[in-house]
């Protein structure tokens, strides 16, 4: 069957068409933001009114929005529509500090599905494909986000959700899965189990396309996954504050992720000065939503570090391309697609009176799998009993898992054995293969 | 009725044990017996030594995770079967042993152990006429 190249007409807009649409939508968004108690107050304090936004350049007059703003207004203080117009929320994990909430109207969900569908269509997903999603569903946006996007494309969807690799493999072979969404470390795990079971992905499955994202990974990791599974693997970028997946996605050129500028205005700023960085330089990604109803966000500091790739993309799309994420401008850890702040771990550890105050979080790749080890110092007064020490280790592990949704390896270490640098403790060591 | 034992919490990492032993060497503290059980991530080194209180203080000052506790040290004749007889007495009285190690010292067998019920163990030792080492006995034997 032959299909059109672009999923939406906006996808092929020229720069001037994109920018004209952006200005129109920015002005509408700013006006709509006045229905949000948070933004109304913020504009009042800044002495700004929606009519001050006359050009895209005027965006700079608007103060930044931060994750702390989302926490401070938890749960519904940012809403720009009455709650009865909202049909879903997604919330961050964790119970320490305030989590964040993102609200969606029915139209928001439709736009989100459209953006994800556009991404999938771009890399060749078509209605005859079978799409299997190995993301956790529920609050994790990689589940429902890809589900609705894949349905919008018209693919047969297999909402397998996370884990149970043998069952995933059975679905591959029984249902003829052609497209899989998986975090990179899970793609490696799938291959491992295939090898154990004598399954040759090229011979025994119809896998063709892998969507990998939500976890920082290197070009080498992508190549390895492609070679292992005999597929093309495309990098996906999203975050729950911007709905989830569908924000930026690689095209068949596999050279940078097109960010959909009819949905977002992109700025890259120096995280210290908050001034724009010159084109092509790495800085913090700042996004303004252009079509969101329930919870528009103006100049949201994502804390992700990246750069805009210069030049035109041979694929014919003029939406700018983001380079792979280069890290974070805060201390957030992204492990297996889960966002974790060290303070969450610290808060749990400090509840144990047996433990001293120093700890070290190590992120490492072992056999292609990313994992976390938490070393924590014991207090001076310690227990001369292996059974009790092991029970203590298990209890710490359980409580950490409940908080961060990932099971770390917990090691009790003697006091004064963890590294300190210039009096300030090193809390996180990341040796994963990425970027 | 008991002797002092040092329990040192050490990482399963090369150099960790040496560090502890070197501190004791500097203070001219002599080991009488020691044992380490292994787990993947950490070990507890249990030490019977001369001047245990001094040893405890110097290790603590050096920032080592250490505790000082009381363990029983039952004296046995150096003949086959003596340990079996002694432990049978405790088993009969329903006293469970948390850990145990043994060694020979000047022609005598010594069973070091810790129980979950020290009070009852002391009664059993007394009523069965078992010989136990006191702290001063150990030092004298060195």
């Amino acid at each position: 069957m032959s299909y059109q190249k672009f999923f939406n007409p906006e996808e092929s807009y020229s720069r001037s068409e994109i920018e004209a649409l952006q200005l129109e939508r920015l002005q509408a968004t700013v006006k709509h933001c006045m229905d949000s108690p948070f933004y109304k107050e913020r504009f009042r304090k800044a002495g700004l009114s929606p009519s001050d936004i006359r050009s895209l350049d005027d965006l700079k007059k608007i103060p930044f929005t931060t994750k702390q703003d989302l926490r401070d207004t938890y749960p519904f203080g940012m809403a720009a529509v009455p709650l009865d117009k909202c049909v879903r929320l997604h919330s961050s994990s964790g119970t320490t500090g305030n989590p964040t909430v993102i609200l969606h109207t029915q139209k928001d969900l439709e736009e989100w599905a459209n953006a994800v569908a556009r991404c999938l269509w771009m890399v060749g997903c078509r209605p005859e494909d079978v799409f299997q999603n190995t993301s956790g569903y529920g609050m994790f946006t990689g589940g429902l986000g890809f589900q609705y996007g894949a349905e919008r494309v018209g693919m047969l969807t297999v909402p397998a959700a996370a884990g149970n690799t043998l069952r995933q493999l059975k679905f591959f072979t029984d249902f003829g899965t052609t497209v899989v969404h998986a975090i990179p470390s899970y793609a490696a795990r799938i291959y491992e189990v295939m090898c154990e079971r004598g399954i040759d992905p090229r011979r025994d499955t119809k896998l063709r396309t892998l969507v990998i994202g939500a976890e920082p990974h290197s070009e080498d990791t992508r190549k390895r996954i492609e070679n292992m599974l005999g597929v093309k693997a495309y990098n996906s970028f999203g975050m729950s504050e911007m709905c989830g997946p569908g924000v930026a996605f690689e095209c068949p050129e596999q050279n940078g992720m097109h960010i959909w500028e009819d949905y977002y205005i992109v700025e890259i700023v120096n995280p210290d000065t908050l001034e724009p960085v010159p084109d092509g330089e790495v800085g913090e990604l700042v996004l303004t939503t252009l079509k969101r109803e329930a919870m528009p966000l103006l100049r949201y500091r994502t804390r992700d570090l990246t750069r805009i790739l210069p030049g035109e993309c041979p694929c014919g799309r003029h939406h700018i391309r983001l380079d792979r994420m280069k890290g974070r401008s805060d201390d957030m850890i992204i492990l297996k697609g889960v966002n974790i702040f060290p303070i969450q771990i610290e808060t749990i550890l400090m509840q144990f009176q047996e433990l001293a105050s120093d700890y070290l979080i190590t992120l490492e790749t072992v056999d292609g799998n990313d994992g976390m080890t938490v070393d924590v110092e014991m207090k001076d007064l310690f227990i001369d009993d292996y059974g009790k020490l092991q029970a203590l280790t298990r209890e710490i592990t359980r409580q950490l898992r409940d908080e961060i949704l990932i099971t770390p390896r917990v090691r009790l270490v003697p006091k004064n054995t963890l590294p300190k640098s210039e009096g300030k403790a090193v809390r996180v060591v990341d040796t994963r293969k990425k970027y | 009725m008991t002797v002092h034992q040092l329990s040192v919490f050490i990482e399963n990492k090369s150099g960790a044990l040496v560090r502890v032993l070197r501190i004791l060497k500097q203070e001219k503290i002599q080991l009488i017996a020691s044992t380490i059980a292994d787990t993947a991530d950490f070990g507890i080194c249990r030490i019977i030594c001369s001047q245990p209180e001094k040893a405890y203080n110097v290790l603590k000052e050096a920032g080592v995770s250490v505790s000082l506790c009381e363990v029983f040290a039952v004296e046995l004749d150096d003949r086959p079967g003596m340990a079996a007889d002694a432990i049978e007495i405790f088993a009969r009285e329903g006293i469970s042993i948390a850990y145990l190690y043994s060694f020979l010292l000047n022609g005598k067998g010594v069973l070091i152990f810790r129980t979950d019920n020290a009070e009852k163990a002391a009664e059993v030792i007394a009523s069965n006429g078992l010989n136990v080492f006191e702290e001063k006995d150990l030092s004298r034997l060195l």
Side-chain angles (χ1 to χ4, degrees):
Chain A
M1 246 180 113
S2 81
Y3 293 102
Q4 68 207 34
K5 177 177 176 184
F6 297 114
F7 194 74
N8 300 129
E10 293 87 345
E11 209 176 328
S12 64
Y13 275 12
S14 67
R15 284 309 306 170
S16 59
E17 284 172 314
I18 289 173
E19 280 160 25
L21 184 63
Q22 281 188 324
L23 179 58
E24 180 193 318
R25 287 185 176 170
L26 173 65
Q27 287 171 326
T29 295
V30 168
K31 210 169 149 208
H32 176 52
C33 277
M34 294 308 104
D35 293 334
S36 149
F38 170 83
Y39 280 115
K40 193 173 180 191
E41 176 61 12
R42 184 149 281 195
F43 270 59
R44 193 190 60 77
K45 273 191 183 158
L48 263 181
S49 99
S51 59
D52 295 328
I53 309 302
R54 289 184 210 98
S55 69
L56 284 179
D57 210 42
D58 287 337
L59 178 65
K60 293 185 181 60
K61 296 177 179 167
I62 302 173
F64 291 96
T65 306
T66 64
K67 199 180 196 86
Q68 192 57 44
D69 292 328
L70 299 188
R71 291 188 181 119
D72 292 344
T73 56
Y74 176 87
F76 304 135
M78 302 275 287
V81 299
L83 276 187
D84 60 6
K85 291 266 186 292
C86 296
V87 297
R88 198 197 298 166
L89 66 79
H90 282 274
S91 179
S92 63
S93 67
T95 52
T96 57
N98 271 344
T100 56
V101 158
I102 301 297
L103 289 161
H104 302 274
T105 63
Q106 188 63 52
K107 188 162 164 291
D108 287 333
L109 293 183
E110 280 163 20
E111 293 291 352
W112 181 14
N114 180 71
V116 174
R118 187 194 291 179
C119 296
L120 293 169
W121 189 273
M122 176 165 65
V123 297
C125 296
R126 296 293 180 266
E128 51 269 32
D129 276 307
V130 178
F131 178 90
Q132 187 165 326
N133 192 1
T134 71
S135 269
Y137 279 62
M139 289 296 192
F140 184 58
T141 55
L144 289 171
F146 272 106
Q147 179 65 33
Y148 286 99
E151 287 176 7
R152 179 66 61 91
V153 168
M155 293 189 280
L156 174 59
T157 60
V158 185
N164 200 338
T165 309
L166 284 180
R167 197 179 60 149
Q168 304 276 5
L169 295 188
K170 183 170 168 54
F171 291 165
F172 287 173
T173 49
D174 289 3
F175 303 145
T177 301
T178 55
V179 184
V180 172
H181 171 237
I183 57 174
S185 57
Y186 192 59
R189 172 71 191 149
I190 286 171
Y191 180 67
E192 207 177 289
V193 177
M194 281 181 169
C195 291
E196 283 166 18
R197 300 274 148 173
I199 296 172
D200 176 349
R202 289 170 176 80
R203 182 192 66 204
D204 303 322
T205 76
K206 293 181 178 164
L207 293 183
R208 185 167 60 77
T209 302
L210 234 75
V211 175
I212 51 177
E215 189 179 61
H217 61 280
S218 62
E219 185 60 33
D220 286 349
T221 300
R222 181 236 294 277
K223 290 266 161 54
R224 211 176 67 236
I225 290 169
E226 291 190 329
N227 289 335
M228 286 187 306
L229 295 171
V231 296
K232 282 279 178 196
Y234 299 97
N235 195 2
S236 156
F237 171 75
M239 72 183 74
S240 62
E241 296 95 316
M242 301 295 140
C243 290
V247 178
F249 212 87
E250 281 181 333
C251 67
E253 298 291 326
Q254 293 183 307
N255 181 23
M257 297 175 287
H258 289 283
I259 180 158
W260 302 125
E261 292 182 88
D262 52 326
Y263 282 111
Y264 305 100
I265 295 179
V266 179
E267 296 170 87
I268 308 277
V269 303
N270 177 317
D272 299 321
T273 65
L274 299 179
E275 290 299 317
V277 301
D279 270 356
E281 275 184 29
V282 172
E284 183 179 321
L285 177 67
V286 172
L287 295 176
T288 297
T289 67
L290 292 176
K291 286 202 92 176
R292 282 262 288 277
E293 277 188 338
M295 241 176 102
L297 294 173
L298 302 176
R299 304 193 83 200
Y300 182 74
R301 292 188 59 188
T302 66
R303 295 291 190 163
D304 283 309
L305 300 177
T306 184
R307 67 188 186 111
I308 293 172
L309 290 180
E312 287 282 303
C313 183
C315 80
R317 291 173 187 83
H318 304 286
H319 297 255
I320 55 172
R321 289 169 299 158
L322 298 181
D323 201 355
R324 280 173 193 287
M325 296 300 130
K326 305 284 181 196
R328 299 271 308 170
S329 67
D330 62 5
D331 60 355
M332 190 175 89
I333 295 164
I334 306 174
L335 181 66
K336 293 178 181 295
V338 180
N339 299 342
I340 301 162
F341 287 93
I343 187 71
Q344 291 178 275
I345 291 168
E346 180 170 314
T347 306
I348 299 291
L349 295 178
M350 294 314 125
Q351 287 163 8
F352 287 88
Q353 56 174 17
E354 297 90 339
L355 304 178
S357 56
D358 280 324
Y359 62 93
L360 179 70
I361 300 164
T362 307
L363 306 167
E364 54 198 340
T365 307
V366 179
D367 300 331
N369 257 317
D370 287 352
M372 175 190 288
T373 299
V374 178
D375 290 311
V376 57
E377 287 189 1
M378 300 280 290
K379 266 192 194 148
D380 193 34
L381 186 72
F382 94 102
I383 318 151
D384 176 15
D385 183 326
Y386 280 98
K388 280 185 185 155
L389 287 173
Q390 275 156 350
L392 175 63
T393 306
R394 276 196 301 274
E395 181 58 18
I396 296 167
T397 307
R398 190 187 66 75
Q399 290 203 23
L400 285 176
R401 188 194 54 222
D402 287 351
E403 174 66 29
I404 62 175
L405 309 179
I406 275 181
T407 307
R409 177 183 181 207
V410 173
R411 288 193 300 208
L412 302 174
V413 302
K415 61 174 184 160
N416 303 321
T417 53
L418 293 176
K420 293 186 177 60
S421 70
E422 293 158 20
K424 188 170 176 268
V426 177
R427 297 299 191 200
V428 182
V429 172
D430 193 345
T431 65
R432 288 175 296 175
K433 290 180 185 163
K434 51 174 191 168
Y435 309 141
Chain B
M1 189 171 266
T2 54
V3 298
H4 281 121
Q5 173 194 263
L6 296 173
S7 299
V8 183
F9 184 69
I10 47 177
E11 252 181 307
N12 193 354
K13 199 163 109 182
S14 70
L17 179 59
V18 173
R19 179 168 170 259
V20 170
L21 295 182
R22 205 174 275 146
I23 293 167
L24 297 181
K25 180 185 172 184
Q26 269 163 12
E27 299 295 327
K28 298 196 166 45
I29 290 165
Q30 188 174 357
L31 298 192
I32 297 170
S34 68
T35 169
I36 303 183
D38 69 315
T39 65
D41 296 326
F42 59 84
I44 301 173
C45 180
R46 295 175 172 128
I47 297 172
I48 306 286
C49 63
S50 66
Q51 300 171 273
E53 277 161 5
K54 182 183 173 191
Y56 171 75
N57 287 329
V58 295
L59 288 174
K60 206 170 152 63
E61 262 168 48
V64 173
S65 297
V66 58
S67 66
L68 192 62
C69 61
E70 308 272 318
V71 291
F72 290 102
V74 173
E75 179 187 336
L76 303 172
D77 285 341
D78 184 12
R79 283 189 288 124
M82 301 297 355
D85 293 349
I87 289 164
E88 197 182 332
I89 293 169
F90 292 106
R92 206 167 50 217
E93 299 286 344
I95 295 171
S96 56
I97 287 171
Y99 57 81
L100 175 149
Y101 50 105
S102 67
F103 54 96
L104 290 171
L105 189 66
N106 288 351
K108 286 290 180 187
V110 185
L111 276 186
I112 302 278
F113 64 90
R114 191 165 181 188
T115 78
D116 54 351
N117 188 343
E119 214 172 298
K120 193 170 176 196
E123 280 170 28
V124 170
I125 286 168
S127 62
N128 285 273
L130 293 172
N131 281 338
V132 287
F133 282 102
E134 302 287 344
E135 194 61 56
K136 58 183 182 338
D137 302 330
L138 284 179
S139 312
R140 208 163 48 221
L141 286 173
L142 283 173

